[in-house]
Amino acid sequence: MSGPHVLELRATSIAFGGLKAVSDLDLILREGDLVGLIGPNGAGKTTVFNLITGVYRPTGGDVLLLGRSLVGMYPHAIADLGIGRTFQNVRLFRQMSVLDNVRVSLHRESASGMVPAVLRTAPFLREETAVRRKALELLSLMSLEEFAGARASDLPYGHQRRLEVARALALSPKLLLLDEPAAGMNPQETEGMMALVRKIRSDFGLTVLLVEHDMRFVMGICERIAVLDYGIKIAEGTPDAIKRDPRVIEAYLGAATADAAH
């Protein structure tokens, strides 16, 4: 790819007191990459997501989106620049409808102010129609359109995961961060999520970084994988290279898991 990388972590570090949770992490994602970040519990994977999205500020190094440093920016400003995110624990407006959960994200781009909304002017109504149409398109992509009027809390867990992805896509991101997208899913739901991630990467031209413990998911979908152990990157490469790397097998996969990931 010519021009700046979509995402670049340069010797990115963060310490909490005397504990260095992420240490001198270098990671590059180019346009269209689908990359996995794996490691044992407590390895620093979600912390990396929090560094990228501005929840935490690095104590060393840099985080760049398309060549622009994100360090010191607030999370909402980083989201506006083009980073969408899902969470390890589903975070939805649970008492709102499925449709309204997506509309809330789309309204970040709203041009109408309070007065047009109160007066329900013609431009406001046109904008509302466009927002509803876009929200329904995203729900259709997630196979959730039939649940548009349901409360988010009433959706099955796998559907809630899909709704969270729809909300992230509503931000029109350049980079999509998926934190354990297959967590809690049965094998059929996991297969469906794998197909969905491939489709949205292709259809939206996205760059995707995901954290996941399901090795069949990671090995089956990611083109490159980085491995963290105690906040240190111990390996990076193709799925085939990672599942054969002795350091990764010792720190995380174990021989049986590595064999099962084939």
Side-chain angles (χ1 to χ4, degrees):
M1 164 187 166
S2 60
H5 303 118
V6 174
L7 176 70
E8 184 174 2
L9 305 182
R10 294 180 182 170
T12 306
S13 304
I14 186 168
F16 300 104
L19 173 66
K20 206 160 190 180
V22 176
S23 181
D24 297 320
L25 177 61
D26 292 319
L27 185 66
I28 288 173
L29 270 71
R30 299 172 179 84
E31 186 176 351
D33 275 354
L34 204 173
V35 177
L37 186 64
I38 67 172
N41 287 329
K45 304 179 298 295
T46 296
T47 301
V48 171
F49 274 22
N50 287 335
L51 289 167
I52 294 169
T53 55
V55 176
Y56 299 150
R57 180 170 183 159
T59 51
D62 207 349
V63 180
L64 300 102
L65 179 71
L66 295 170
R68 176 176 180 175
S69 177
L70 303 179
V71 174
M73 295 181 66
Y74 290 109
H76 68 85
I78 292 174
D80 288 342
L81 287 178
I83 297 182
R85 177 186 182 175
T86 67
F87 292 85
Q88 186 174 355
N89 300 310
V90 175
R91 298 186 185 182
L92 299 172
F93 298 111
R94 297 182 60 81
Q95 300 307 311
M96 291 172 60
S97 72
V98 169
L99 179 64
D100 284 345
N101 264 270
V102 181
R103 290 173 65 191
V104 165
S105 293
L106 289 168
H107 272 298
R108 291 175 63 90
E109 301 177 0
S110 174
S112 297
M114 182 179 295
V115 173
V118 171
L119 297 179
R120 302 187 66 77
T121 62
F124 169 79
L125 293 175
R126 285 195 296 271
E127 186 175 82
E128 284 294 294
T129 299
V131 164
R132 179 183 175 83
R133 181 172 62 250
K134 177 65 173 176
L136 288 171
E137 288 173 358
L138 288 171
L139 291 179
S140 178
L141 177 66
M142 301 293 146
S143 301
L144 293 174
E145 190 172 12
E146 65 180 288
F147 303 102
R151 283 194 311 183
S153 60
D154 292 337
L155 287 180
Y157 181 76
H159 287 25
Q160 290 186 25
R161 283 278 179 194
R162 286 174 172 260
L163 177 55
E164 202 177 29
V165 175
R167 289 203 321 176
L169 291 176
L171 298 173
S172 300
K174 304 175 182 73
L175 172 66
L176 181 62
L177 307 178
L178 301 175
D179 198 346
E180 297 195 30
M185 290 187 172
N186 61 42
Q188 184 177 0
E189 290 172 330
T190 297
E191 288 291 329
M193 180 59 75
M194 289 174 69
L196 179 63
V197 172
R198 290 192 191 100
K199 179 176 174 57
I200 61 179
R201 192 272 291 262
S202 174
D203 289 0
F204 288 80
L206 287 176
T207 301
V208 180
L209 178 63
L210 65 87
V211 164
E212 184 54 67
H213 283 289
D214 186 326
M215 286 300 100
R216 289 190 182 276
F217 188 103
V218 174
M219 298 294 177
I221 195 173
C222 295
E223 297 148 352
R224 182 160 47 94
I225 299 170
V227 187
L228 291 182
D229 189 31
Y230 295 105
I232 299 170
K233 186 175 74 172
I234 61 170
E236 182 177 351
T238 66
D240 280 344
I242 290 299
K243 63 192 176 189
R244 291 179 173 85
D245 190 308
R247 296 166 299 175
V248 179
I249 293 172
E250 179 181 359
Y252 182 49
L253 293 181
T257 305
D259 290 340
H262 280 260

Short mmCIF file of all heavy atoms in Angstrom, two decimals, residues 192-230:
data_model
loop_
_atom_site.label_atom_id
_atom_site.label_comp_id
_atom_site.label_asym_id
_atom_site.label_seq_id
_atom_site.Cartn_x
_atom_site.Cartn_y
_atom_site.Cartn_z
N GLY A 192 -20.96 -18.61 11.48
CA GLY A 192 -21.67 -17.48 10.91
C GLY A 192 -20.93 -16.17 11.12
O GLY A 192 -20.88 -15.31 10.23
N MET A 193 -20.32 -16.00 12.30
CA MET A 193 -19.56 -14.79 12.58
C MET A 193 -18.30 -14.72 11.71
O MET A 193 -17.94 -13.64 11.22
CB MET A 193 -19.20 -14.71 14.05
CG MET A 193 -18.41 -13.47 14.46
SD MET A 193 -19.26 -11.90 14.10
CE MET A 193 -20.49 -11.88 15.41
N MET A 194 -17.66 -15.86 11.48
CA MET A 194 -16.49 -15.88 10.61
C MET A 194 -16.87 -15.41 9.20
O MET A 194 -16.18 -14.58 8.60
CB MET A 194 -15.89 -17.29 10.55
CG MET A 194 -15.21 -17.73 11.82
SD MET A 194 -14.68 -19.47 11.77
CE MET A 194 -13.37 -19.38 10.53
N ALA A 195 -17.98 -15.94 8.69
CA ALA A 195 -18.43 -15.54 7.35
C ALA A 195 -18.78 -14.06 7.32
O ALA A 195 -18.50 -13.36 6.33
CB ALA A 195 -19.63 -16.39 6.93
N LEU A 196 -19.38 -13.57 8.41
CA LEU A 196 -19.78 -12.17 8.48
C LEU A 196 -18.56 -11.25 8.47
O LEU A 196 -18.54 -10.23 7.77
CB LEU A 196 -20.61 -11.92 9.73
CG LEU A 196 -21.07 -10.49 9.96
CD1 LEU A 196 -21.99 -10.04 8.84
CD2 LEU A 196 -21.78 -10.37 11.32
N VAL A 197 -17.53 -11.59 9.25
CA VAL A 197 -16.32 -10.76 9.30
C VAL A 197 -15.67 -10.70 7.91
O VAL A 197 -15.24 -9.64 7.46
CB VAL A 197 -15.34 -11.28 10.36
CG1 VAL A 197 -14.02 -10.53 10.28
CG2 VAL A 197 -15.95 -11.12 11.75
N ARG A 198 -15.59 -11.84 7.25
CA ARG A 198 -15.02 -11.85 5.89
C ARG A 198 -15.83 -10.94 4.96
O ARG A 198 -15.27 -10.19 4.17
CB ARG A 198 -15.02 -13.27 5.33
CG ARG A 198 -14.04 -14.23 5.98
CD ARG A 198 -13.93 -15.50 5.16
NE ARG A 198 -13.21 -16.53 5.86
CZ ARG A 198 -13.78 -17.55 6.52
NH1 ARG A 198 -15.10 -17.64 6.53
NH2 ARG A 198 -13.05 -18.46 7.11
N LYS A 199 -17.15 -11.03 5.08
CA LYS A 199 -18.02 -10.26 4.17
C LYS A 199 -17.89 -8.77 4.41
O LYS A 199 -17.76 -7.99 3.45
CB LYS A 199 -19.48 -10.70 4.35
CG LYS A 199 -20.47 -9.93 3.47
CD LYS A 199 -21.87 -10.48 3.62
CE LYS A 199 -22.88 -9.63 2.84
NZ LYS A 199 -22.56 -9.53 1.40
N ILE A 200 -17.91 -8.34 5.68
CA ILE A 200 -17.87 -6.90 5.92
C ILE A 200 -16.49 -6.34 5.59
O ILE A 200 -16.38 -5.20 5.16
CB ILE A 200 -18.29 -6.54 7.37
CG1 ILE A 200 -17.36 -7.16 8.40
CG2 ILE A 200 -19.73 -6.94 7.62
CD1 ILE A 200 -17.72 -6.80 9.83
N ARG A 201 -15.45 -7.13 5.79
CA ARG A 201 -14.12 -6.68 5.39
C ARG A 201 -14.09 -6.43 3.89
O ARG A 201 -13.57 -5.41 3.41
CB ARG A 201 -13.07 -7.71 5.79
CG ARG A 201 -11.60 -7.25 5.68
CD ARG A 201 -11.00 -7.50 4.31
NE ARG A 201 -10.84 -8.89 4.05
CZ ARG A 201 -9.69 -9.57 4.21
NH1 ARG A 201 -8.62 -8.93 4.60
NH2 ARG A 201 -9.64 -10.85 3.92
N SER A 202 -14.69 -7.34 3.13
CA SER A 202 -14.70 -7.23 1.67
C SER A 202 -15.65 -6.12 1.20
O SER A 202 -15.26 -5.25 0.41
CB SER A 202 -15.12 -8.57 1.06
OG SER A 202 -15.28 -8.46 -0.33
N ASP A 203 -16.88 -6.14 1.70
CA ASP A 203 -17.90 -5.21 1.21
C ASP A 203 -17.62 -3.77 1.60
O ASP A 203 -17.93 -2.83 0.85
CB ASP A 203 -19.29 -5.61 1.74
CG ASP A 203 -19.82 -6.88 1.10
OD1 ASP A 203 -19.11 -7.45 0.24
OD2 ASP A 203 -20.93 -7.31 1.46
N PHE A 204 -17.04 -3.56 2.79
CA PHE A 204 -16.80 -2.21 3.29
C PHE A 204 -15.35 -1.76 3.08
O PHE A 204 -15.01 -0.62 3.39
CB PHE A 204 -17.15 -2.10 4.78
CG PHE A 204 -18.62 -2.13 5.08
CD1 PHE A 204 -19.31 -3.34 5.11
CD2 PHE A 204 -19.33 -0.97 5.30
CE1 PHE A 204 -20.66 -3.38 5.39
CE2 PHE A 204 -20.69 -1.01 5.57
CZ PHE A 204 -21.36 -2.22 5.61
N GLY A 205 -14.52 -2.64 2.56
CA GLY A 205 -13.12 -2.29 2.35
C GLY A 205 -12.40 -1.96 3.64
O GLY A 205 -11.56 -1.07 3.68
N LEU A 206 -12.72 -2.70 4.70
CA LEU A 206 -12.21 -2.39 6.03
C LEU A 206 -10.88 -3.06 6.31
O LEU A 206 -10.54 -4.09 5.75
CB LEU A 206 -13.21 -2.85 7.09
CG LEU A 206 -14.49 -2.04 7.24
CD1 LEU A 206 -15.39 -2.71 8.26
CD2 LEU A 206 -14.18 -0.62 7.67
N THR A 207 -10.16 -2.47 7.23
CA THR A 207 -9.02 -3.10 7.88
C THR A 207 -9.51 -3.58 9.24
O THR A 207 -10.19 -2.84 9.96
CB THR A 207 -7.87 -2.09 8.04
OG1 THR A 207 -7.51 -1.60 6.75
CG2 THR A 207 -6.67 -2.72 8.71
N VAL A 208 -9.19 -4.83 9.59
CA VAL A 208 -9.76 -5.44 10.80
C VAL A 208 -8.66 -5.98 11.70
O VAL A 208 -7.76 -6.70 11.24
CB VAL A 208 -10.73 -6.59 10.43
CG1 VAL A 208 -11.32 -7.21 11.71
CG2 VAL A 208 -11.84 -6.10 9.51
N LEU A 209 -8.74 -5.62 12.98
CA LEU A 209 -7.89 -6.21 14.02
C LEU A 209 -8.81 -6.85 15.04
O LEU A 209 -9.73 -6.21 15.54
CB LEU A 209 -7.04 -5.14 14.70
CG LEU A 209 -6.13 -5.60 15.85
CD1 LEU A 209 -5.09 -6.59 15.37
CD2 LEU A 209 -5.46 -4.40 16.52
N LEU A 210 -8.60 -8.14 15.32
CA LEU A 210 -9.49 -8.82 16.25
C LEU A 210 -8.71 -9.56 17.33
O LEU A 210 -7.60 -10.05 17.10
CB LEU A 210 -10.44 -9.76 15.52
CG LEU A 210 -9.90 -10.97 14.77
CD1 LEU A 210 -9.76 -12.19 15.70
CD2 LEU A 210 -10.83 -11.32 13.60
N VAL A 211 -9.31 -9.60 18.51
CA VAL A 211 -8.83 -10.40 19.64
C VAL A 211 -9.80 -11.56 19.79
O VAL A 211 -11.02 -11.37 19.76
CB VAL A 211 -8.81 -9.56 20.93
CG1 VAL A 211 -8.70 -10.46 22.15
CG2 VAL A 211 -7.68 -8.56 20.91
N GLU A 212 -9.26 -12.77 19.94
CA GLU A 212 -10.14 -13.93 20.05
C GLU A 212 -9.39 -15.08 20.69
O GLU A 212 -8.20 -15.28 20.44
CB GLU A 212 -10.66 -14.33 18.66
CG GLU A 212 -11.65 -15.47 18.65
CD GLU A 212 -12.83 -15.23 19.58
OE1 GLU A 212 -13.64 -14.32 19.31
OE2 GLU A 212 -12.93 -15.97 20.58
N HIS A 213 -10.09 -15.84 21.55
CA HIS A 213 -9.51 -17.02 22.18
C HIS A 213 -9.82 -18.30 21.41
O HIS A 213 -9.13 -19.31 21.61
CB HIS A 213 -10.01 -17.17 23.62
CG HIS A 213 -9.36 -16.22 24.57
ND1 HIS A 213 -8.05 -16.34 24.98
CD2 HIS A 213 -9.83 -15.12 25.21
CE1 HIS A 213 -7.74 -15.38 25.82
NE2 HIS A 213 -8.80 -14.62 25.98
N ASP A 214 -10.85 -18.27 20.57
CA ASP A 214 -11.22 -19.45 19.78
C ASP A 214 -10.20 -19.60 18.65
O ASP A 214 -10.23 -18.87 17.66
CB ASP A 214 -12.63 -19.27 19.22
CG ASP A 214 -13.15 -20.51 18.52
OD1 ASP A 214 -12.34 -21.23 17.88
OD2 ASP A 214 -14.37 -20.76 18.56
N MET A 215 -9.31 -20.59 18.79
CA MET A 215 -8.22 -20.72 17.82
C MET A 215 -8.70 -21.17 16.44
O MET A 215 -8.08 -20.83 15.44
CB MET A 215 -7.16 -21.69 18.34
CG MET A 215 -6.30 -21.12 19.44
SD MET A 215 -5.39 -19.62 18.91
CE MET A 215 -6.43 -18.33 19.62
N ARG A 216 -9.79 -21.92 16.38
CA ARG A 216 -10.32 -22.26 15.07
C ARG A 216 -10.79 -21.01 14.34
O ARG A 216 -10.63 -20.89 13.12
CB ARG A 216 -11.47 -23.27 15.21
CG ARG A 216 -11.00 -24.66 15.63
CD ARG A 216 -12.13 -25.68 15.51
NE ARG A 216 -11.69 -26.99 15.96
CZ ARG A 216 -11.04 -27.87 15.20
NH1 ARG A 216 -10.75 -27.55 13.95
NH2 ARG A 216 -10.69 -29.04 15.68
N PHE A 217 -11.39 -20.09 15.08
CA PHE A 217 -11.83 -18.82 14.50
C PHE A 217 -10.62 -18.04 13.99
O PHE A 217 -10.58 -17.60 12.84
CB PHE A 217 -12.59 -18.02 15.56
CG PHE A 217 -13.25 -16.78 15.05
CD1 PHE A 217 -14.62 -16.75 14.84
CD2 PHE A 217 -12.53 -15.61 14.80
CE1 PHE A 217 -15.25 -15.60 14.37
CE2 PHE A 217 -13.14 -14.47 14.34
CZ PHE A 217 -14.51 -14.46 14.12
N VAL A 218 -9.63 -17.87 14.86
CA VAL A 218 -8.46 -17.06 14.51
C VAL A 218 -7.70 -17.67 13.33
O VAL A 218 -7.38 -16.98 12.35
CB VAL A 218 -7.52 -16.91 15.73
CG1 VAL A 218 -6.23 -16.20 15.33
CG2 VAL A 218 -8.21 -16.15 16.84
N MET A 219 -7.41 -18.95 13.43
CA MET A 219 -6.63 -19.60 12.38
C MET A 219 -7.41 -19.71 11.08
O MET A 219 -6.82 -19.74 10.00
CB MET A 219 -6.21 -21.01 12.84
CG MET A 219 -5.32 -21.02 14.08
SD MET A 219 -3.70 -20.26 13.78
CE MET A 219 -2.96 -20.37 15.41
N GLY A 220 -8.74 -19.73 11.19
CA GLY A 220 -9.56 -19.89 9.99
C GLY A 220 -9.85 -18.60 9.25
O GLY A 220 -10.29 -18.65 8.09
N ILE A 221 -9.61 -17.46 9.89
CA ILE A 221 -10.02 -16.21 9.27
C ILE A 221 -8.88 -15.20 9.11
O ILE A 221 -8.87 -14.41 8.16
CB ILE A 221 -11.19 -15.58 10.07
CG1 ILE A 221 -11.88 -14.48 9.26
CG2 ILE A 221 -10.72 -15.06 11.41
CD1 ILE A 221 -13.13 -13.95 9.91
N CYS A 222 -7.92 -15.21 10.04
CA CYS A 222 -6.87 -14.18 10.02
C CYS A 222 -5.76 -14.54 9.04
O CYS A 222 -5.37 -15.70 8.90
CB CYS A 222 -6.28 -14.00 11.42
SG CYS A 222 -7.46 -13.34 12.62
N GLU A 223 -5.26 -13.53 8.37
CA GLU A 223 -4.15 -13.71 7.43
C GLU A 223 -2.81 -13.52 8.12
O GLU A 223 -1.78 -13.99 7.61
CB GLU A 223 -4.32 -12.72 6.28
CG GLU A 223 -5.58 -12.96 5.48
CD GLU A 223 -6.19 -11.70 4.89
OE1 GLU A 223 -5.72 -10.59 5.23
OE2 GLU A 223 -7.14 -11.83 4.10
N ARG A 224 -2.83 -12.85 9.25
CA ARG A 224 -1.61 -12.64 10.04
C ARG A 224 -2.02 -12.57 11.50
O ARG A 224 -3.11 -12.09 11.82
CB ARG A 224 -0.92 -11.34 9.59
CG ARG A 224 0.38 -11.01 10.29
CD ARG A 224 1.22 -10.00 9.47
NE ARG A 224 0.45 -8.89 8.99
CZ ARG A 224 0.33 -7.71 9.63
NH1 ARG A 224 0.97 -7.53 10.78
NH2 ARG A 224 -0.38 -6.73 9.12
N ILE A 225 -1.14 -13.06 12.36
CA ILE A 225 -1.45 -13.13 13.79
C ILE A 225 -0.25 -12.63 14.58
O ILE A 225 0.89 -12.99 14.30
CB ILE A 225 -1.78 -14.57 14.22
CG1 ILE A 225 -3.02 -15.09 13.46
CG2 ILE A 225 -2.02 -14.66 15.73
CD1 ILE A 225 -3.27 -16.57 13.63
N ALA A 226 -0.53 -11.78 15.58
CA ALA A 226 0.48 -11.35 16.53
C ALA A 226 0.15 -11.97 17.88
O ALA A 226 -1.03 -12.07 18.25
CB ALA A 226 0.53 -9.83 16.64
N VAL A 227 1.17 -12.38 18.62
CA VAL A 227 0.97 -13.07 19.88
C VAL A 227 1.62 -12.28 21.01
O VAL A 227 2.80 -11.92 20.95
CB VAL A 227 1.60 -14.49 19.85
CG1 VAL A 227 1.23 -15.25 21.12
CG2 VAL A 227 1.14 -15.25 18.61
N LEU A 228 0.81 -11.99 22.05
CA LEU A 228 1.30 -11.30 23.24
C LEU A 228 1.45 -12.27 24.40
O LEU A 228 0.63 -13.18 24.56
CB LEU A 228 0.34 -10.19 23.66
CG LEU A 228 0.18 -8.95 22.76
CD1 LEU A 228 -0.78 -7.97 23.42
CD2 LEU A 228 1.51 -8.29 22.49
N ASP A 229 2.45 -12.05 25.22
CA ASP A 229 2.61 -12.78 26.46
C ASP A 229 3.18 -11.81 27.49
O ASP A 229 4.26 -11.24 27.28
CB ASP A 229 3.55 -13.97 26.27
CG ASP A 229 3.58 -14.89 27.49
OD1 ASP A 229 2.55 -14.98 28.19
OD2 ASP A 229 4.63 -15.51 27.75
N TYR A 230 2.41 -11.57 28.56
CA TYR A 230 2.80 -10.57 29.57
C TYR A 230 3.14 -9.22 28.93
O TYR A 230 4.09 -8.55 29.31
CB TYR A 230 3.97 -11.07 30.40
CG TYR A 230 3.64 -12.27 31.25
CD1 TYR A 230 4.10 -13.53 30.89
CD2 TYR A 230 2.86 -12.13 32.39
CE1 TYR A 230 3.78 -14.65 31.67
CE2 TYR A 230 2.53 -13.24 33.17
CZ TYR A 230 3.00 -14.49 32.80
OH TYR A 230 2.67 -15.59 33.56
#
